[in-house]
Amino acid sequence: MPLAPLDEAITIADLTRDPYPIYQRLRAQSPVLRVKSVNRTLLTKAADTRAVKDNPALFSSNDPNTPMEKAFEAHTLMRKDGAEHMRERMAMMPTFSARNIKTIWAPSYEKHASDYLDRLPRDQVIDLFPMLAGPLAARILAEILGLPDASDADMQHWSQALIDGAGNFGWADEPFARVAKANVAMNTEIARRVAILQTAPDQSALSVMIDADDPIEMSQIIANIKIAIGGGINEPRDALLTILYGLLTNPDQLDALKSSGDWGSAFEEGVRWVAPIQVSSRVAVEDTEIRGLTIPKGDVVMTVQASANHDEEVFEDGHLFNIFRKSAPHQSFGSGPHHCMGTHISRHTVGKIMLPMLFDRFPNMELVDPASVVWSGFGFRGPLNLPVRLN
């Protein structure tokens, strides 16, 4: 069987600026394609991305050539399989229990959300990215992780540094230099909090990990906290901004939601439409094939969930934001053993609390100049701004 065709024209800049037309073309013409700029074989069809994610025995998460290890200064659970991955994942799970979400994190989020909304001025144009979505996601995450003294600005800076480092597939110097400085600051704050939590434990992720009967290694506790910082701000932040853009540019859908109260449908459609985490890497542990093309042992495939979520075989007019569409499973929270740990808390906080609260406060909110909204990102994607008038 032949190797997948090789593309030398697609650039990382193209994929960062607007990958969706590229993915549409690849689904139709080359759903399995080696792309030189990212040094990966891109998989753009939903059936293939899910099959790879659901088969860790054949497609390992341990991609040795990812920039993630350099960015996080650790071999993280995101790049592990089997018992080793499960042990580190389960170390944090008590924090995200249904009971904790209901009794601790949701009430805390609701209070912070109310406080942050109180600060917003009415009847003037503001940008919801820096004034609400980013800081609020940072604040609740700081509490959940056990770093309540870290400022919103610190948390957002650390998160972006980790994201930019982990997504630095061009291996540029600046993102690595920036994340190295962020790691020093994170290490210092984590160590300070460990000393406090050893005498005053709580339900935060850092506390439950260090207080466990059989704790994982401290190096991996730190790595787990950084993984959560890296993914736990941009995902709910970008999801909220994406959903708001979708609703404010489709007023008929917004009106229907105000009547039905089914804000969860808007959440699911928003994260399907523009997946906050767009791509993931896996390594073939032996020679295999996808769609009649050879995937050699050691080849790194990139599952493009952003493309899978627009796959014509699953979603009609997948490029459109449509809360009324027939329900079908999207892949924004992953699949298999690495299914996103923050799924339930994101659905609860953004979908059940923030959206109704925001439109209850500002029922006539309007998006100012939708064309001015800038979307960006290949590995992680969302709007970089959302100018609205609150009224």
Side-chain angles (χ1 to χ4, degrees), residues 97-145:
S97 70
R99 177 182 175 84
N100 280 348
I101 292 174
K102 183 177 180 180
T103 62
I104 303 174
W105 310 129
S108 179
Y109 181 89
E110 195 159 1
K111 178 184 181 301
H112 287 308
S114 183
D115 290 345
Y116 282 58
L117 289 174
D118 284 343
R119 303 175 194 172
L120 299 179
R122 292 175 183 262
D123 298 320
Q124 58 179 278
V125 178
I126 63 165
D127 185 352
L128 284 185
F129 184 117
M131 294 192 72
L132 177 67
L136 180 57
R139 181 52 21 220
I140 189 62
L141 184 68
E143 288 197 4
I144 292 170
L145 295 185

mmCIF file of all heavy atoms in Angstrom, residues 97-145:
data_model
loop_
_atom_site.group_PDB
_atom_site.id
_atom_site.type_symbol
_atom_site.label_atom_id
_atom_site.label_comp_id
_atom_site.label_asym_id
_atom_site.label_seq_id
_atom_site.Cartn_x
_atom_site.Cartn_y
_atom_site.Cartn_z
ATOM 1 N N SER A 97 -15.298 15.689 41.005
ATOM 2 C CA SER A 97 -16.462 14.842 41.253
ATOM 3 C C SER A 97 -17.743 15.649 41.073
ATOM 4 O O SER A 97 -17.763 16.877 41.224
ATOM 5 C CB SER A 97 -16.416 14.281 42.673
ATOM 6 O OG SER A 97 -16.649 15.308 43.628
ATOM 7 N N ALA A 98 -18.827 14.936 40.771
ATOM 8 C CA ALA A 98 -20.119 15.606 40.599
ATOM 9 C C ALA A 98 -20.505 16.358 41.867
ATOM 10 O O ALA A 98 -21.060 17.463 41.811
ATOM 11 C CB ALA A 98 -21.186 14.570 40.242
ATOM 12 N N ARG A 99 -20.202 15.766 43.011
ATOM 13 C CA ARG A 99 -20.521 16.419 44.288
ATOM 14 C C ARG A 99 -19.765 17.745 44.443
ATOM 15 O O ARG A 99 -20.331 18.766 44.837
ATOM 16 C CB ARG A 99 -20.197 15.478 45.446
ATOM 17 C CG ARG A 99 -20.429 16.097 46.834
ATOM 18 C CD ARG A 99 -20.022 15.110 47.936
ATOM 19 N NE ARG A 99 -20.133 15.715 49.250
ATOM 20 C CZ ARG A 99 -21.264 15.773 49.952
ATOM 21 N NH1 ARG A 99 -22.368 15.245 49.464
ATOM 22 N NH2 ARG A 99 -21.269 16.343 51.145
ATOM 23 N N ASN A 100 -18.469 17.729 44.135
ATOM 24 C CA ASN A 100 -17.682 18.953 44.271
ATOM 25 C C ASN A 100 -18.129 20.031 43.287
ATOM 26 O O ASN A 100 -18.159 21.218 43.623
ATOM 27 C CB ASN A 100 -16.195 18.650 44.095
ATOM 28 C CG ASN A 100 -15.563 18.081 45.352
ATOM 29 O OD1 ASN A 100 -16.164 18.111 46.420
ATOM 30 N ND2 ASN A 100 -14.356 17.557 45.220
ATOM 31 N N ILE A 101 -18.444 19.606 42.064
ATOM 32 C CA ILE A 101 -18.928 20.577 41.082
ATOM 33 C C ILE A 101 -20.197 21.246 41.598
ATOM 34 O O ILE A 101 -20.340 22.476 41.552
ATOM 35 C CB ILE A 101 -19.174 19.905 39.718
ATOM 36 C CG1 ILE A 101 -17.845 19.464 39.093
ATOM 37 C CG2 ILE A 101 -19.905 20.862 38.774
ATOM 38 C CD1 ILE A 101 -18.001 18.653 37.819
ATOM 39 N N LYS A 102 -21.110 20.437 42.126
ATOM 40 C CA LYS A 102 -22.405 20.967 42.574
ATOM 41 C C LYS A 102 -22.288 21.807 43.841
ATOM 42 O O LYS A 102 -22.940 22.863 43.954
ATOM 43 C CB LYS A 102 -23.379 19.793 42.813
ATOM 44 C CG LYS A 102 -24.772 20.233 43.218
ATOM 45 C CD LYS A 102 -25.708 19.035 43.368
ATOM 46 C CE LYS A 102 -27.103 19.492 43.771
ATOM 47 N NZ LYS A 102 -28.033 18.325 43.923
ATOM 48 N N THR A 103 -21.481 21.365 44.799
ATOM 49 C CA THR A 103 -21.478 22.012 46.116
ATOM 50 C C THR A 103 -20.377 23.051 46.310
ATOM 51 O O THR A 103 -20.499 23.923 47.167
ATOM 52 C CB THR A 103 -21.346 20.965 47.233
ATOM 53 O OG1 THR A 103 -20.087 20.273 47.095
ATOM 54 C CG2 THR A 103 -22.490 19.966 47.174
ATOM 55 N N ILE A 104 -19.294 22.960 45.521
ATOM 56 C CA ILE A 104 -18.170 23.891 45.722
ATOM 57 C C ILE A 104 -17.931 24.773 44.501
ATOM 58 O O ILE A 104 -18.007 25.999 44.582
ATOM 59 C CB ILE A 104 -16.864 23.130 46.065
ATOM 60 C CG1 ILE A 104 -17.057 22.248 47.296
ATOM 61 C CG2 ILE A 104 -15.727 24.126 46.304
ATOM 62 C CD1 ILE A 104 -15.847 21.370 47.607
ATOM 63 N N TRP A 105 -17.649 24.147 43.358
ATOM 64 C CA TRP A 105 -17.165 24.922 42.213
ATOM 65 C C TRP A 105 -18.270 25.705 41.512
ATOM 66 O O TRP A 105 -18.060 26.861 41.131
ATOM 67 C CB TRP A 105 -16.431 24.016 41.226
ATOM 68 C CG TRP A 105 -15.399 23.157 41.882
ATOM 69 C CD1 TRP A 105 -15.248 21.809 41.764
ATOM 70 C CD2 TRP A 105 -14.361 23.573 42.792
ATOM 71 N NE1 TRP A 105 -14.194 21.356 42.525
ATOM 72 C CE2 TRP A 105 -13.635 22.424 43.171
ATOM 73 C CE3 TRP A 105 -13.979 24.804 43.331
ATOM 74 C CZ2 TRP A 105 -12.553 22.451 44.048
ATOM 75 C CZ3 TRP A 105 -12.902 24.845 44.217
ATOM 76 C CH2 TRP A 105 -12.206 23.694 44.565
ATOM 77 N N ALA A 106 -19.457 25.129 41.351
ATOM 78 C CA ALA A 106 -20.547 25.872 40.706
ATOM 79 C C ALA A 106 -20.974 27.084 41.534
ATOM 80 O O ALA A 106 -21.112 28.184 40.987
ATOM 81 C CB ALA A 106 -21.734 24.954 40.420
ATOM 82 N N PRO A 107 -21.187 26.951 42.851
ATOM 83 C CA PRO A 107 -21.518 28.143 43.641
ATOM 84 C C PRO A 107 -20.411 29.200 43.608
ATOM 85 O O PRO A 107 -20.705 30.400 43.552
ATOM 86 C CB PRO A 107 -21.706 27.585 45.056
ATOM 87 C CG PRO A 107 -22.077 26.154 44.858
ATOM 88 C CD PRO A 107 -21.315 25.713 43.646
ATOM 89 N N SER A 108 -19.158 28.762 43.626
ATOM 90 C CA SER A 108 -18.052 29.714 43.559
ATOM 91 C C SER A 108 -18.043 30.433 42.214
ATOM 92 O O SER A 108 -17.872 31.662 42.143
ATOM 93 C CB SER A 108 -16.720 28.984 43.771
ATOM 94 O OG SER A 108 -15.631 29.885 43.676
ATOM 95 N N TYR A 109 -18.241 29.677 41.137
ATOM 96 C CA TYR A 109 -18.283 30.275 39.803
ATOM 97 C C TYR A 109 -19.422 31.280 39.713
ATOM 98 O O TYR A 109 -19.252 32.384 39.170
ATOM 99 C CB TYR A 109 -18.456 29.187 38.750
ATOM 100 C CG TYR A 109 -18.484 29.716 37.321
ATOM 101 C CD1 TYR A 109 -17.306 29.849 36.593
ATOM 102 C CD2 TYR A 109 -19.681 30.071 36.705
ATOM 103 C CE1 TYR A 109 -17.317 30.324 35.291
ATOM 104 C CE2 TYR A 109 -19.715 30.550 35.412
ATOM 105 C CZ TYR A 109 -18.525 30.680 34.705
ATOM 106 O OH TYR A 109 -18.551 31.161 33.418
ATOM 107 N N GLU A 110 -20.585 30.919 40.241
ATOM 108 C CA GLU A 110 -21.747 31.807 40.167
ATOM 109 C C GLU A 110 -21.471 33.127 40.870
ATOM 110 O O GLU A 110 -21.821 34.204 40.379
ATOM 111 C CB GLU A 110 -22.963 31.112 40.778
ATOM 112 C CG GLU A 110 -24.270 31.778 40.435
ATOM 113 C CD GLU A 110 -25.458 30.851 40.584
ATOM 114 O OE1 GLU A 110 -25.271 29.676 40.977
ATOM 115 O OE2 GLU A 110 -26.575 31.312 40.292
ATOM 116 N N LYS A 111 -20.824 33.045 42.031
ATOM 117 C CA LYS A 111 -20.479 34.267 42.768
ATOM 118 C C LYS A 111 -19.484 35.118 41.988
ATOM 119 O O LYS A 111 -19.661 36.335 41.832
ATOM 120 C CB LYS A 111 -19.896 33.912 44.136
ATOM 121 C CG LYS A 111 -19.468 35.136 44.958
ATOM 122 C CD LYS A 111 -18.807 34.732 46.253
ATOM 123 C CE LYS A 111 -18.408 35.963 47.052
ATOM 124 N NZ LYS A 111 -17.473 36.864 46.315
ATOM 125 N N HIS A 112 -18.429 34.482 41.483
ATOM 126 C CA HIS A 112 -17.436 35.238 40.705
ATOM 127 C C HIS A 112 -18.066 35.812 39.444
ATOM 128 O O HIS A 112 -17.789 36.968 39.081
ATOM 129 C CB HIS A 112 -16.254 34.340 40.336
ATOM 130 C CG HIS A 112 -15.357 34.009 41.486
ATOM 131 N ND1 HIS A 112 -14.818 34.966 42.312
ATOM 132 C CD2 HIS A 112 -14.903 32.821 41.945
ATOM 133 C CE1 HIS A 112 -14.057 34.391 43.229
ATOM 134 N NE2 HIS A 112 -14.095 33.078 43.026
ATOM 135 N N ALA A 113 -18.908 35.028 38.773
ATOM 136 C CA ALA A 113 -19.547 35.510 37.550
ATOM 137 C C ALA A 113 -20.369 36.758 37.836
ATOM 138 O O ALA A 113 -20.316 37.741 37.094
ATOM 139 C CB ALA A 113 -20.427 34.413 36.954
ATOM 140 N N SER A 114 -21.117 36.726 38.916
ATOM 141 C CA SER A 114 -21.922 37.889 39.292
ATOM 142 C C SER A 114 -21.035 39.102 39.571
ATOM 143 O O SER A 114 -21.327 40.221 39.128
ATOM 144 C CB SER A 114 -22.763 37.553 40.525
ATOM 145 O OG SER A 114 -23.594 38.646 40.865
ATOM 146 N N ASP A 115 -19.941 38.881 40.287
ATOM 147 C CA ASP A 115 -19.021 39.978 40.611
ATOM 148 C C ASP A 115 -18.403 40.569 39.342
ATOM 149 O O ASP A 115 -18.302 41.794 39.205
ATOM 150 C CB ASP A 115 -17.902 39.481 41.536
ATOM 151 C CG ASP A 115 -18.394 39.156 42.937
ATOM 152 O OD1 ASP A 115 -19.517 39.577 43.286
ATOM 153 O OD2 ASP A 115 -17.661 38.465 43.669
ATOM 154 N N TYR A 116 -17.976 39.704 38.436
ATOM 155 C CA TYR A 116 -17.331 40.196 37.218
ATOM 156 C C TYR A 116 -18.329 40.918 36.321
ATOM 157 O O TYR A 116 -17.991 41.922 35.683
ATOM 158 C CB TYR A 116 -16.649 39.044 36.468
ATOM 159 C CG TYR A 116 -15.320 38.630 37.066
ATOM 160 C CD1 TYR A 116 -15.236 38.209 38.384
ATOM 161 C CD2 TYR A 116 -14.148 38.655 36.323
ATOM 162 C CE1 TYR A 116 -14.028 37.827 38.948
ATOM 163 C CE2 TYR A 116 -12.929 38.265 36.876
ATOM 164 C CZ TYR A 116 -12.881 37.858 38.197
ATOM 165 O OH TYR A 116 -11.679 37.488 38.750
ATOM 166 N N LEU A 117 -19.576 40.423 36.286
ATOM 167 C CA LEU A 117 -20.602 41.111 35.497
ATOM 168 C C LEU A 117 -20.945 42.469 36.099
ATOM 169 O O LEU A 117 -21.256 43.410 35.365
ATOM 170 C CB LEU A 117 -21.858 40.245 35.395
ATOM 171 C CG LEU A 117 -21.748 38.996 34.509
ATOM 172 C CD1 LEU A 117 -23.018 38.157 34.612
ATOM 173 C CD2 LEU A 117 -21.471 39.367 33.067
ATOM 174 N N ASP A 118 -20.892 42.569 37.418
ATOM 175 C CA ASP A 118 -21.178 43.851 38.088
ATOM 176 C C ASP A 118 -20.220 44.953 37.633
ATOM 177 O O ASP A 118 -20.565 46.130 37.650
ATOM 178 C CB ASP A 118 -21.072 43.705 39.602
ATOM 179 C CG ASP A 118 -22.265 42.986 40.216
ATOM 180 O OD1 ASP A 118 -23.303 42.882 39.532
ATOM 181 O OD2 ASP A 118 -22.145 42.528 41.370
ATOM 182 N N ARG A 119 -19.007 44.564 37.255
ATOM 183 C CA ARG A 119 -17.980 45.548 36.883
ATOM 184 C C ARG A 119 -18.152 46.079 35.463
ATOM 185 O O ARG A 119 -17.518 47.072 35.090
ATOM 186 C CB ARG A 119 -16.594 44.915 36.989
ATOM 187 C CG ARG A 119 -16.256 44.340 38.348
ATOM 188 C CD ARG A 119 -14.906 43.640 38.285
ATOM 189 N NE ARG A 119 -14.671 42.790 39.440
ATOM 190 C CZ ARG A 119 -13.637 41.964 39.550
ATOM 191 N NH1 ARG A 119 -12.751 41.882 38.563
ATOM 192 N NH2 ARG A 119 -13.480 41.215 40.627
ATOM 193 N N LEU A 120 -18.962 45.400 34.670
ATOM 194 C CA LEU A 120 -19.051 45.768 33.254
ATOM 195 C C LEU A 120 -19.932 46.999 33.055
ATOM 196 O O LEU A 120 -21.034 47.071 33.593
ATOM 197 C CB LEU A 120 -19.615 44.601 32.434
ATOM 198 C CG LEU A 120 -18.801 43.307 32.459
ATOM 199 C CD1 LEU A 120 -19.493 42.231 31.629
ATOM 200 C CD2 LEU A 120 -17.381 43.526 31.955
ATOM 201 N N PRO A 121 -19.457 47.962 32.279
ATOM 202 C CA PRO A 121 -20.248 49.173 32.024
ATOM 203 C C PRO A 121 -21.326 48.928 30.973
ATOM 204 O O PRO A 121 -21.123 48.166 30.022
ATOM 205 C CB PRO A 121 -19.201 50.163 31.507
ATOM 206 C CG PRO A 121 -18.172 49.301 30.837
ATOM 207 C CD PRO A 121 -18.133 48.016 31.622
ATOM 208 N N ARG A 122 -22.461 49.562 31.153
ATOM 209 C CA ARG A 122 -23.535 49.469 30.176
ATOM 210 C C ARG A 122 -23.399 50.580 29.141
ATOM 211 O O ARG A 122 -22.762 51.604 29.386
ATOM 212 C CB ARG A 122 -24.901 49.590 30.862
ATOM 213 C CG ARG A 122 -25.251 48.423 31.769
ATOM 214 C CD ARG A 122 -26.562 48.682 32.500
ATOM 215 N NE ARG A 122 -26.881 47.597 33.429
ATOM 216 C CZ ARG A 122 -27.720 46.596 33.161
ATOM 217 N NH1 ARG A 122 -28.317 46.534 31.975
ATOM 218 N NH2 ARG A 122 -27.960 45.654 34.055
ATOM 219 N N ASP A 123 -24.038 50.335 27.998
ATOM 220 C CA ASP A 123 -24.194 51.359 26.963
ATOM 221 C C ASP A 123 -22.881 51.926 26.440
ATOM 222 O O ASP A 123 -22.813 53.085 26.040
ATOM 223 C CB ASP A 123 -25.084 52.511 27.471
ATOM 224 C CG ASP A 123 -26.483 52.024 27.805
ATOM 225 O OD1 ASP A 123 -27.009 51.184 27.053
ATOM 226 O OD2 ASP A 123 -27.039 52.464 28.822
ATOM 227 N N GLN A 124 -21.829 51.122 26.477
ATOM 228 C CA GLN A 124 -20.598 51.492 25.773
ATOM 229 C C GLN A 124 -19.975 50.219 25.230
ATOM 230 O O GLN A 124 -20.228 49.129 25.732
ATOM 231 C CB GLN A 124 -19.630 52.251 26.686
ATOM 232 C CG GLN A 124 -19.196 51.520 27.938
ATOM 233 C CD GLN A 124 -18.210 52.337 28.765
ATOM 234 O OE1 GLN A 124 -17.011 52.354 28.484
ATOM 235 N NE2 GLN A 124 -18.717 53.032 29.764
ATOM 236 N N VAL A 125 -19.166 50.381 24.207
ATOM 237 C CA VAL A 125 -18.574 49.209 23.564
ATOM 238 C C VAL A 125 -17.400 48.703 24.401
ATOM 239 O O VAL A 125 -16.487 49.462 24.730
ATOM 240 C CB VAL A 125 -18.112 49.544 22.132
ATOM 241 C CG1 VAL A 125 -17.450 48.324 21.487
ATOM 242 C CG2 VAL A 125 -19.295 50.006 21.286
ATOM 243 N N ILE A 126 -17.456 47.437 24.769
ATOM 244 C CA ILE A 126 -16.361 46.816 25.515
ATOM 245 C C ILE A 126 -15.979 45.505 24.831
ATOM 246 O O ILE A 126 -16.748 44.956 24.042
ATOM 247 C CB ILE A 126 -16.744 46.536 26.975
ATOM 248 C CG1 ILE A 126 -17.899 45.520 27.045
ATOM 249 C CG2 ILE A 126 -17.103 47.818 27.703
ATOM 250 C CD1 ILE A 126 -18.097 44.914 28.410
ATOM 251 N N ASP A 127 -14.790 45.008 25.153
ATOM 252 C CA ASP A 127 -14.308 43.737 24.609
ATOM 253 C C ASP A 127 -14.460 42.678 25.691
ATOM 254 O O ASP A 127 -13.806 42.739 26.731
ATOM 255 C CB ASP A 127 -12.850 43.881 24.185
ATOM 256 C CG ASP A 127 -12.298 42.633 23.502
ATOM 257 O OD1 ASP A 127 -12.999 41.597 23.490
ATOM 258 O OD2 ASP A 127 -11.159 42.689 22.988
ATOM 259 N N LEU A 128 -15.302 41.697 25.448
ATOM 260 C CA LEU A 128 -15.580 40.679 26.457
ATOM 261 C C LEU A 128 -14.419 39.704 26.674
ATOM 262 O O LEU A 128 -14.409 38.999 27.679
ATOM 263 C CB LEU A 128 -16.840 39.887 26.090
ATOM 264 C CG LEU A 128 -18.187 40.576 26.317
ATOM 265 C CD1 LEU A 128 -19.330 39.609 26.017
ATOM 266 C CD2 LEU A 128 -18.313 41.124 27.733
ATOM 267 N N PHE A 129 -13.461 39.649 25.766
ATOM 268 C CA PHE A 129 -12.316 38.754 25.975
ATOM 269 C C PHE A 129 -11.540 39.180 27.213
ATOM 270 O O PHE A 129 -11.429 38.404 28.177
ATOM 271 C CB PHE A 129 -11.426 38.726 24.723
ATOM 272 C CG PHE A 129 -10.267 37.763 24.794
ATOM 273 C CD1 PHE A 129 -10.171 36.680 23.919
ATOM 274 C CD2 PHE A 129 -9.244 37.918 25.719
ATOM 275 C CE1 PHE A 129 -9.105 35.788 23.967
ATOM 276 C CE2 PHE A 129 -8.173 37.035 25.789
ATOM 277 C CZ PHE A 129 -8.104 35.974 24.909
ATOM 278 N N PRO A 130 -10.982 40.411 27.256
ATOM 279 C CA PRO A 130 -10.190 40.785 28.430
ATOM 280 C C PRO A 130 -11.026 41.212 29.632
ATOM 281 O O PRO A 130 -10.525 41.208 30.763
ATOM 282 C CB PRO A 130 -9.339 41.950 27.928
ATOM 283 C CG PRO A 130 -10.179 42.585 26.867
ATOM 284 C CD PRO A 130 -10.911 41.445 26.201
ATOM 285 N N MET A 131 -12.294 41.575 29.408
ATOM 286 C CA MET A 131 -13.080 42.126 30.508
ATOM 287 C C MET A 131 -13.972 41.095 31.203
ATOM 288 O O MET A 131 -14.486 41.360 32.287
ATOM 289 C CB MET A 131 -13.930 43.300 30.018
ATOM 290 C CG MET A 131 -13.091 44.486 29.573
ATOM 291 S SD MET A 131 -14.045 46.001 29.326
ATOM 292 C CE MET A 131 -14.433 46.458 31.032
ATOM 293 N N LEU A 132 -14.143 39.927 30.594
ATOM 294 C CA LEU A 132 -14.990 38.921 31.235
ATOM 295 C C LEU A 132 -14.489 37.494 31.002
ATOM 296 O O LEU A 132 -14.159 36.794 31.957
ATOM 297 C CB LEU A 132 -16.436 39.025 30.724
ATOM 298 C CG LEU A 132 -17.404 37.978 31.280
ATOM 299 C CD1 LEU A 132 -17.620 38.182 32.779
ATOM 300 C CD2 LEU A 132 -18.742 38.000 30.528
ATOM 301 N N ALA A 133 -14.451 37.058 29.754
ATOM 302 C CA ALA A 133 -14.222 35.638 29.466
ATOM 303 C C ALA A 133 -12.868 35.149 29.983
ATOM 304 O O ALA A 133 -12.783 34.085 30.614
ATOM 305 C CB ALA A 133 -14.340 35.388 27.963
ATOM 306 N N GLY A 134 -11.811 35.917 29.723
ATOM 307 C CA GLY A 134 -10.481 35.496 30.161
ATOM 308 C C GLY A 134 -10.319 35.525 31.672
ATOM 309 O O GLY A 134 -9.957 34.516 32.290
ATOM 310 N N PRO A 135 -10.588 36.677 32.324
ATOM 311 C CA PRO A 135 -10.395 36.761 33.776
ATOM 312 C C PRO A 135 -11.277 35.799 34.573
ATOM 313 O O PRO A 135 -10.820 35.208 35.558
ATOM 314 C CB PRO A 135 -10.752 38.216 34.098
ATOM 315 C CG PRO A 135 -10.572 38.952 32.825
ATOM 316 C CD PRO A 135 -10.905 37.988 31.733
ATOM 317 N N LEU A 136 -12.525 35.618 34.160
ATOM 318 C CA LEU A 136 -13.418 34.734 34.907
ATOM 319 C C LEU A 136 -12.962 33.283 34.810
ATOM 320 O O LEU A 136 -12.964 32.553 35.812
ATOM 321 C CB LEU A 136 -14.851 34.879 34.392
ATOM 322 C CG LEU A 136 -15.910 34.010 35.077
ATOM 323 C CD1 LEU A 136 -15.940 34.250 36.580
ATOM 324 C CD2 LEU A 136 -17.288 34.261 34.467
ATOM 325 N N ALA A 137 -12.559 32.853 33.622
ATOM 326 C CA ALA A 137 -12.038 31.488 33.470
ATOM 327 C C ALA A 137 -10.790 31.295 34.323
ATOM 328 O O ALA A 137 -10.588 30.243 34.934
ATOM 329 C CB ALA A 137 -11.725 31.208 32.001
ATOM 330 N N ALA A 138 -9.954 32.329 34.392
ATOM 331 C CA ALA A 138 -8.734 32.255 35.195
ATOM 332 C C ALA A 138 -9.048 32.167 36.681
ATOM 333 O O ALA A 138 -8.418 31.414 37.422
ATOM 334 C CB ALA A 138 -7.856 33.475 34.918
ATOM 335 N N ARG A 139 -10.035 32.936 37.126
ATOM 336 C CA ARG A 139 -10.336 33.000 38.561
ATOM 337 C C ARG A 139 -10.861 31.682 39.100
ATOM 338 O O ARG A 139 -10.388 31.181 40.114
ATOM 339 C CB ARG A 139 -11.360 34.128 38.805
ATOM 340 C CG ARG A 139 -11.773 34.360 40.240
ATOM 341 C CD ARG A 139 -10.637 34.558 41.244
ATOM 342 N NE ARG A 139 -9.391 34.970 40.659
ATOM 343 C CZ ARG A 139 -8.196 34.515 41.045
ATOM 344 N NH1 ARG A 139 -8.109 33.628 42.017
ATOM 345 N NH2 ARG A 139 -7.106 34.957 40.468
ATOM 346 N N ILE A 140 -11.844 31.082 38.404
ATOM 347 C CA ILE A 140 -12.397 29.833 38.921
ATOM 348 C C ILE A 140 -11.361 28.713 38.819
ATOM 349 O O ILE A 140 -11.267 27.855 39.703
ATOM 350 C CB ILE A 140 -13.715 29.457 38.206
ATOM 351 C CG1 ILE A 140 -14.392 28.270 38.918
ATOM 352 C CG2 ILE A 140 -13.494 29.152 36.732
ATOM 353 C CD1 ILE A 140 -14.789 28.534 40.355
ATOM 354 N N LEU A 141 -10.536 28.733 37.758
ATOM 355 C CA LEU A 141 -9.517 27.692 37.627
ATOM 356 C C LEU A 141 -8.495 27.798 38.750
ATOM 357 O O LEU A 141 -8.052 26.786 39.300
ATOM 358 C CB LEU A 141 -8.826 27.774 36.266
ATOM 359 C CG LEU A 141 -7.811 26.648 36.031
ATOM 360 C CD1 LEU A 141 -8.506 25.292 35.897
ATOM 361 C CD2 LEU A 141 -6.967 26.916 34.786
ATOM 362 N N ALA A 142 -8.101 29.016 39.099
ATOM 363 C CA ALA A 142 -7.137 29.203 40.192
ATOM 364 C C ALA A 142 -7.662 28.568 41.477
ATOM 365 O O ALA A 142 -6.904 27.920 42.218
ATOM 366 C CB ALA A 142 -6.859 30.693 40.396
ATOM 367 N N GLU A 143 -8.948 28.715 41.736
ATOM 368 C CA GLU A 143 -9.533 28.118 42.941
ATOM 369 C C GLU A 143 -9.584 26.601 42.834
ATOM 370 O O GLU A 143 -9.233 25.889 43.783
ATOM 371 C CB GLU A 143 -10.945 28.662 43.165
ATOM 372 C CG GLU A 143 -10.964 30.100 43.637
ATOM 373 C CD GLU A 143 -12.306 30.487 44.236
ATOM 374 O OE1 GLU A 143 -13.196 29.610 44.360
ATOM 375 O OE2 GLU A 143 -12.471 31.665 44.574
ATOM 376 N N ILE A 144 -10.024 26.095 41.697
ATOM 377 C CA ILE A 144 -10.141 24.648 41.519
ATOM 378 C C ILE A 144 -8.782 23.970 41.673
ATOM 379 O O ILE A 144 -8.672 22.901 42.264
ATOM 380 C CB ILE A 144 -10.754 24.321 40.150
ATOM 381 C CG1 ILE A 144 -12.226 24.755 40.102
ATOM 382 C CG2 ILE A 144 -10.638 22.837 39.822
ATOM 383 C CD1 ILE A 144 -12.849 24.687 38.711
ATOM 384 N N LEU A 145 -7.740 24.611 41.163
ATOM 385 C CA LEU A 145 -6.413 23.993 41.199
ATOM 386 C C LEU A 145 -5.709 24.153 42.537
ATOM 387 O O LEU A 145 -4.742 23.451 42.818
ATOM 388 C CB LEU A 145 -5.534 24.588 40.089
ATOM 389 C CG LEU A 145 -5.988 24.298 38.660
ATOM 390 C CD1 LEU A 145 -4.969 24.828 37.664
ATOM 391 C CD2 LEU A 145 -6.240 22.813 38.437
#
